[in-house]
Amino acid sequence: MTTAEKKIARLEVVEPKRLEFGKKWDYAPAPESTEHIKIQSRYELFIGGKFVSPKSGNYFKSINPATEEILTEVAEANEADVNLAVKAARTAYEKYWSKLPGSERAKYIFRIARQLQEKAREFAIIETMDGGKPIKESRDVDIPLAVAHFFYYAGWADKLDYAFPGRKTRPLGVAGQVIPWNFPLLMAAWKIAPALACGNTVVLKPAETTPLTALHLAQIIQEADLPPGVVNIVTGFGKTGAAIVNHPDVDKVAFTGSTEVGKIIQRAVAGTKKKLTLELGGKAANIVFDDAPIDQAIEGIINGIYFNQGHVCCAGSRLLVQESILDLVVRKLKDRIQTLRVGDPLDKNTDIGAINSSDQLKKIKELVQIGIDEGCKIHQSTCKLPERGFWFPPTFFTGVAQSNRIAQEEIFGPVLSILTFRTPEEAVEKANNTAYGLSAGVWTDKGSKIFKISSQLKAGVIWANTFNKFDPSSPFGGYKESGFGREGGLQGLMPYVQLI
Ligand code: NAI
Ligand code: MG
């Protein structure tokens, strides 16, 4: 074959693929290697510095939602196990942790941060396998941010007097922490790092579909030689979470998850000594004015809702577009979602990974069907979805009214609802017309408009000309049914101290 013939032959091979995906070109697969990743065949509970079997002898499976393959089995903690964990945390609190000066606590937390940083690649791969999120997110967002939180709060441990000038602080005691599956390691870091920095000990329960990175963190904590019982990690379902929340010797409860469970927890701790912080759902408005840099805004909208398959409590799930630019925005969004790469989460080019569980996929499908039944117009990428695993294509709805359920309820999937407004006042009114108030976004060329609008929005975090940006030094938390209390920043210390 001559060189010219070879070129033609190559073109012929490439061409059908181009047509199939409806794109000009495509990336070759670039899968992250899992060769050096050690996932044990079984994981025990981490109590009192040791890995111990559950009293019931029960184990549950954690699967890879992208393949439905069983990754491992994990211990299910019952009330007796939770009792042991709380007891270990209490002993550690009284014997060691509350007696250590802040500068000593800091050394341990720094050690966790450094170890985690060293093993960042391993953690990113495990996070992606256990939860379905794209490797580029676990590698570039989840794990580095988790590390940054440990570093950040290690820095506060010996400076609490400066955090609260003129006041002394006292730790609360044992913190019971229950976390969800959308940012498994990051949520563990958000909970554990400030608790330890302030002198508390911890019993943490990861979500049942994504327990693995928390258990690998337990290994790091063991290697970092923390006094036994300072951090205990117990795995299980809602019942295990409830046993922690209801335990009489827990002084503080921190929960991130659904508003429904948040309400149950708030009722359960009412009238007890327990302090509570809740970080619940959201239905964030992403407001785009006609003077916004449109292409930048399109990327922000995409990042706001399709990031992490929309499994984000602060996702920009309601797009409010100024009426005069609606057609332009819709056209650009249609083109853009078609180019998003959905598939193998371990592939470095993947934009949208697997839905975390079959239950979550069912919930997304139900709400999308409701959107269709209520007369909203659906736009969906025609990308091919893998045959096994749980998948949902990037989707958005136009013709959405405020009363439609897809404009009110958290879908927690890659589904955007588009509404319009004419004036800034109308944008604010519509943005605030929700039971939630976790986050919001404003896109405009005018700085003064950003300040005016953001001061009127009832949301804990407001991004301007960007979306879904996080930093350990900035507080995060909600209004209304999105919960209360702040995590991150100086404010994130408050829920873990008593001021005297
Ligand atoms: P969930 O609220 O049931 O689960 C979160 C955590 O709470 C898990 O560790 C779970 O085991 C635990 N839990 C469940 N019931 C409990 C109880 N009675 N007492 C103590 N702990 C309990 O959330 P789920 O069912 O996984 O997701 C349902 C919906 O919640 C999602 O579709 C989404 O809309 C929302 N969600 C919001 C999150 C957020 O970051 N705000 C995170 C996860 C889900
Ligand atoms: Mg899993």
Side-chain angles (χ1 to χ4, degrees):
M1 214 188 268
T2 65
T3 318
E5 278 169 347
K6 269 187 201 161
K7 259 190 197 160
I8 290 166
R10 259 211 309 276
L11 274 179
E12 277 167 1
V13 174
V14 172
E15 205 52 44
K17 206 169 168 200
R18 286 181 180 174
L19 290 175
E20 185 185 340
F21 288 97
K23 292 184 229 168
K24 288 203 180 68
W25 44 268
D26 201 14
Y27 285 93
E32 178 69 64
S33 159
T34 56
E35 248 169 50
H36 304 290
I37 304 306
K38 287 189 202 82
I39 292 182
Q40 298 167 202
S41 56
R42 172 182 272 196
Y43 287 83
E44 306 289 0
L45 307 170
F46 184 59
I47 298 178
K50 294 197 185 82
F51 287 94
V52 297
S53 304
K55 293 283 171 215
S56 64
N58 289 344
Y59 292 80
F60 63 93
K61 312 237 181 312
S62 191
I63 64 161
N64 179 342
T67 59
E68 295 177 60
E69 270 161 3
I70 295 166
L71 291 172
T72 181
E73 58 174 25
V74 179
E76 182 182 352
N78 64 15
E79 253 178 59
D81 300 302
V82 169
N83 277 341
L84 287 177
V86 173
K87 213 166 159 189
R90 173 65 55 194
T91 307
Y93 176 72
E94 280 165 7
K95 260 173 94 176
Y96 316 112
W97 203 244
S98 63
K99 296 202 174 127
L100 275 185
S103 54
E104 291 302 310
R105 292 199 302 273
K107 285 183 196 167
Y108 286 108
I109 308 170
F110 274 126
R111 210 179 285 168
I112 297 172
R114 282 196 303 269
Q115 280 290 322
L116 203 53
Q117 193 163 39
E118 255 178 45
K119 296 188 175 171
R121 182 169 166 270
E122 178 186 332
F123 272 82
I125 295 171
I126 296 174
E127 199 73 303
T128 285
M129 290 174 78
D130 201 17
K133 65 172 63 196
I135 188 73
K136 71 175 175 192
E137 278 167 19
S138 45
R139 182 196 63 198
D140 299 345
V141 182
D142 293 64
I143 312 302
L145 268 176
V147 171
H149 265 82
F150 279 107
F151 274 122
Y152 176 79
Y153 281 109
W156 273 119
D158 63 345
K159 301 177 194 70
L160 297 177
D161 290 351
Y162 301 97
F164 307 103
R167 308 290 294 271
K168 287 274 165 220
T169 63
R170 211 183 273 152
L172 301 173
V174 176
Q177 308 178 321
V178 180
I179 58 171
W181 41 262
N182 52 346
F183 292 90
L185 183 73
L186 184 59
M187 289 303 108
W190 279 27
K191 298 275 182 287
I192 296 173
L196 296 188
C198 295
N200 305 277
T201 56
V202 165
V203 177
L204 174 121
K205 190 197 89 64
E208 48 271 39
T209 56
T210 55
L212 296 191
T213 46
L215 291 163
H216 281 252
L217 177 65
Q219 290 169 0
I220 282 186
I221 288 169
Q222 197 182 40
E223 283 158 22
D225 219 11
L226 258 79
V230 170
V231 177
N232 304 276
I233 295 184
V234 290
T235 37
F237 297 82
K239 240 175 130 184
T240 312
I244 297 174
V245 168
N246 294 323
H247 197 290
D249 203 28
V250 163
D251 301 291
K252 194 235 151 27
V253 173
F255 173 76
T256 299
S258 62
T259 299
E260 191 191 346
V261 173
K263 286 179 181 175
I264 297 173
I265 292 177
Q266 191 167 10
R267 275 196 289 273
V269 305
T272 70
K273 64 172 180 180
K274 293 169 199 169
K275 266 199 167 191
L276 177 66
T277 39
L278 295 176
E279 201 264 277
L280 310 173
K283 194 74 192 176
N286 205 358
I287 306 170
V288 183
F289 286 97
D290 58 6
D291 60 1
I294 295 295
D295 289 327
Q296 207 176 313
I298 296 292
E299 288 314 300
I301 295 162
I302 294 283
N303 177 36
I305 185 64
Y306 302 121
F307 169 57
N308 201 26
Q309 298 72 250
H311 296 338
V312 184
C313 45
C314 54
S317 52
R318 277 185 305 152
L319 178 65
L320 300 187
V321 187
Q322 197 149 19
E323 211 174 70
S324 53
I325 54 164
L326 177 70
D327 291 347
L328 178 66
V329 168
V330 168
R331 178 168 63 71
K332 283 184 181 267
L333 274 179
K334 260 194 210 163
D335 288 348
R336 186 67 179 92
I337 61 168
Q338 194 61 35
T339 66
L340 291 172
R341 292 176 294 268
V342 184
D344 181 7
L346 280 169
D347 191 318
K348 294 173 197 116
N349 296 320
T350 293
D351 297 306
I352 299 187
I355 300 301
N356 185 264
S357 63
S358 60
D359 279 354
Q360 189 56 35
L361 181 59
K362 196 166 149 239
K363 186 187 156 187
I364 296 169
K365 284 184 174 167
E366 274 168 17
L367 273 159
V368 165
Q369 191 55 49
I370 287 167
I372 296 168
D373 294 345
E374 287 188 351
C376 307
K377 182 156 188 243
I378 187 167
H379 308 261
Q380 210 161 37
S381 164
T382 56
C383 63
K384 261 198 184 156
L385 300 177
E387 271 165 26
R388 294 206 66 190
F390 316 126
W391 307 95
F392 201 81
T395 301
F396 68 86
F397 279 101
T398 50
V400 181
Q402 291 191 81
S403 55
N404 288 135
R405 282 182 61 187
I406 54 166
Q408 291 294 333
E409 293 178 33
E410 190 175 42
I411 302 175
F412 227 63
V415 183
L416 176 69
S417 300
I418 305 184
L419 296 95
T420 57
F421 68 88
R422 286 186 183 165
T423 62
E425 293 72 27
E426 192 188 348
V428 170
E429 199 189 306
K430 284 189 168 166
N432 287 340
N433 180 16
T434 165
Y436 296 109
L438 192 55
S439 64
V442 184
W443 296 83
T444 166
D445 203 25
K446 289 203 175 58
S448 56
K449 214 191 250 173
I450 291 172
F451 286 118
K452 186 160 182 213
I453 300 286
S454 54
S455 66
Q456 293 169 344
L457 293 174
K458 294 269 179 292
V461 185
I462 296 161
W463 287 289
N465 293 332
T466 187
F467 211 90
N468 273 342
K469 287 276 185 294
F470 305 93
D471 188 276
S473 65
S474 81
F476 185 91
Y479 276 76
K480 301 191 277 186
E481 290 197 16
S482 292
F484 49 80
R486 294 292 177 262
E487 294 183 300
L490 170 77
Q491 291 83 348
L493 297 165
M494 298 272 287
Y496 290 98
V497 292
Q498 208 182 331
L499 293 180
I500 40 177

